[in-house]
Amino acid sequence: MSVSPAVSSPQFISAPALLSDWQGHRRLTRRVIEAFPEDKLFTFSLGSMRPFATMVSELIGIAEPMVRGIVTTEWKRLEEPPSTTKADLLRKWDDTTTALDQLWDQIPADRFQESMTAFGQYPGKVHELILYAIDNEIHHRGQGFVYLRALGIEPPAFYTRD
Amino acid sequence: MSVSPAVSSPQFISAPALLSDWQGHRRLTRRVIEAFPEDKLFTFSLGSMRPFATMVSELIGIAEPMVRGIVTTEWKRLEEPPSTTKADLLRKWDDTTTALDQLWDQIPADRFQESMTAFGQYPGKVHELILYAIDNEIHHRGQGFVYLRALGIEPPAFYTRD
């Protein structure tokens, strides 16, 4: 971990506001999980891609372990097996939501501008690592929208974040 | 436009770093446009959704007009008709890329924390408005990935941003 030069540039967004934005995204992603019929969540796919549940398990495997690593500087991957029911997937989703709120305030103020290597593999500024996790969620959720449309199900509105 | 309380919270990301992140996303999105065969770009869809070219025209209609409005406080939508060829779509994409670089430095440093109503319709903090534009790009690009996979075409890697 190295410390970047002093931040003199204008702030784009503060750490609390970014968490709030992320949690808004997470509420929307939760609605997308809920919108899938139980069986389709684990089986439906297009273009030989993964089912949406598998993508969501990936997101769960990134979010909390990433932020925990940023707090503790110790990188541990999730040990739990992936969910096999919608209820269990939603439970893990909600556990992550709670954990993110608790971990966020423990991130030292300067850390967001520092460089770290996530999971011993992915180097970057801490804000880049976190944006990557959020962007990956938006990316796969957009794919979930296509799955829902192809199943004849109206997805929740993209701008709904409450 | 109203000014928010003084920013005392830790910075998550600076304005120049956020632009750099966005331009990285834009390079990836450009690759996704390029990956489509000319005809499929304008005609292929799944689940009665829009073709990818139509989504990209939406993104072009948001990015530069949004940032120009943030700079000037005047909100004007694009007047140009949507592109009908891949070359024209890419030309508009590249024009937007250049315009964003030029406009970004003209955004007053405090403005990112202020509230504005984009296009007279969408109220929010300026950083929220900009994140919305980026998130919407990631969302639709993720859908473009599904279209490409369904067409038997390997999309560019999500993490490639150079």
Side-chain angles (χ1 to χ4, degrees):
Chain A
M1 187 186 337
S2 69
V3 176
S4 66
V7 178
S8 57
S9 307
Q11 169 163 295
F12 177 76
I13 191 169
S14 71
L18 194 281
L19 175 63
S20 169
D21 181 80
W22 191 3
Q23 293 288 27
H25 275 298
R26 293 181 53 79
R27 286 188 286 274
L28 174 57
T29 305
R30 191 185 198 284
R31 284 200 174 96
V32 175
I33 301 168
E34 282 186 302
F36 273 82
E38 175 92 30
D39 60 331
K40 301 298 186 208
L41 182 59
F42 293 89
T43 59
F44 184 79
S45 90
L46 292 167
S48 304
M49 295 175 71
R50 297 170 294 172
F52 191 58
T54 309
M55 298 181 186
V56 172
S57 289
E58 176 189 294
L59 302 178
I60 291 169
I62 292 174
E64 181 184 340
M66 173 79 87
V67 176
R68 194 174 292 283
I70 290 166
V71 168
T72 63
T73 75
E74 286 175 29
W75 298 91
K76 289 183 190 163
R77 296 198 180 261
L78 278 193
E79 301 282 323
E80 288 183 84
S83 299
T84 55
T85 66
K86 193 204 271 196
D88 189 59
L89 196 65
L90 288 171
R91 181 189 61 75
K92 286 185 186 157
W93 191 261
D94 293 339
D95 287 351
T96 295
T97 298
T98 306
L100 290 180
D101 279 339
Q102 293 169 344
L103 287 164
W104 198 259
D105 289 338
Q106 302 173 43
I107 303 177
D110 293 339
R111 186 145 302 164
F112 297 102
Q113 316 311 322
E114 293 171 0
S115 296
M116 296 180 92
T117 300
F119 304 106
Q121 257 187 298
Y122 310 104
K125 294 282 183 75
V126 166
H127 60 237
E128 290 169 346
L129 298 173
I130 292 167
L131 285 180
Y132 189 90
I134 300 171
D135 297 347
N136 191 48
E137 176 179 339
I138 299 168
H139 173 74
H140 286 310
R141 186 182 60 208
Q143 300 179 331
F145 271 56
V146 186
Y147 286 12
L148 286 175
R149 288 275 184 202
L151 289 165
I153 297 166
E154 169 102 10
F158 177 71
Y159 51 79
T160 305
R161 307 289 170 83
D162 61 351
Chain B
M1 186 188 337
S2 69
V3 176
S4 66
V7 178
S8 58
S9 307
Q11 170 163 295
F12 176 76
I13 191 169
S14 71
L18 194 281
L19 175 65
S20 169
D21 180 80
W22 190 3
Q23 293 288 28
H25 276 298
R26 292 181 53 80
R27 285 188 286 274
L28 174 56
T29 305
R30 191 185 197 286
R31 284 199 175 96
V32 175
I33 300 169
E34 282 185 302
F36 274 83
E38 176 91 31
D39 60 330
K40 302 299 186 206
L41 182 59
F42 293 90
T43 58
F44 183 79
S45 91
L46 291 168
S48 305
M49 294 175 73
R50 296 171 293 171
F52 191 58
T54 309
M55 297 181 187
V56 172
S57 289
E58 175 189 294
L59 302 177
I60 291 170
I62 292 174
E64 181 184 340
M66 173 80 87
V67 175
R68 194 173 294 282
I70 289 166
V71 169
T72 63
T73 75
E74 285 174 31
W75 297 92
K76 289 184 190 162
R77 295 196 181 264
L78 278 193
E79 302 281 324
E80 288 184 82
S83 299
T84 55
T85 66
K86 193 204 270 198
D88 189 60
L89 197 64
L90 287 170
R91 181 189 61 76
K92 286 185 185 158
W93 191 261
D94 294 339
D95 288 350
T96 295
T97 299
T98 305
L100 290 180
D101 279 339
Q102 293 170 343
L103 288 165
W104 198 259
D105 289 338
Q106 303 174 43
I107 303 177
D110 293 340
R111 185 145 302 163
F112 297 103
Q113 317 310 322
E114 294 171 0
S115 296
M116 296 180 92
T117 300
F119 304 106
Q121 258 186 299
Y122 310 106
K125 293 282 183 72
V126 166
H127 60 237
E128 291 168 346
L129 298 173
I130 292 167
L131 285 180
Y132 189 90
I134 299 171
D135 297 346
N136 191 49
E137 176 179 339
I138 300 167
H139 173 74
H140 286 311
R141 186 182 61 210
Q143 300 179 332
F145 271 56
V146 186
Y147 285 13
L148 286 175
R149 288 274 183 203
L151 288 164
I153 298 166
E154 170 100 11
F158 177 71
Y159 51 78
T160 305
R161 305 292 169 82
D162 60 351

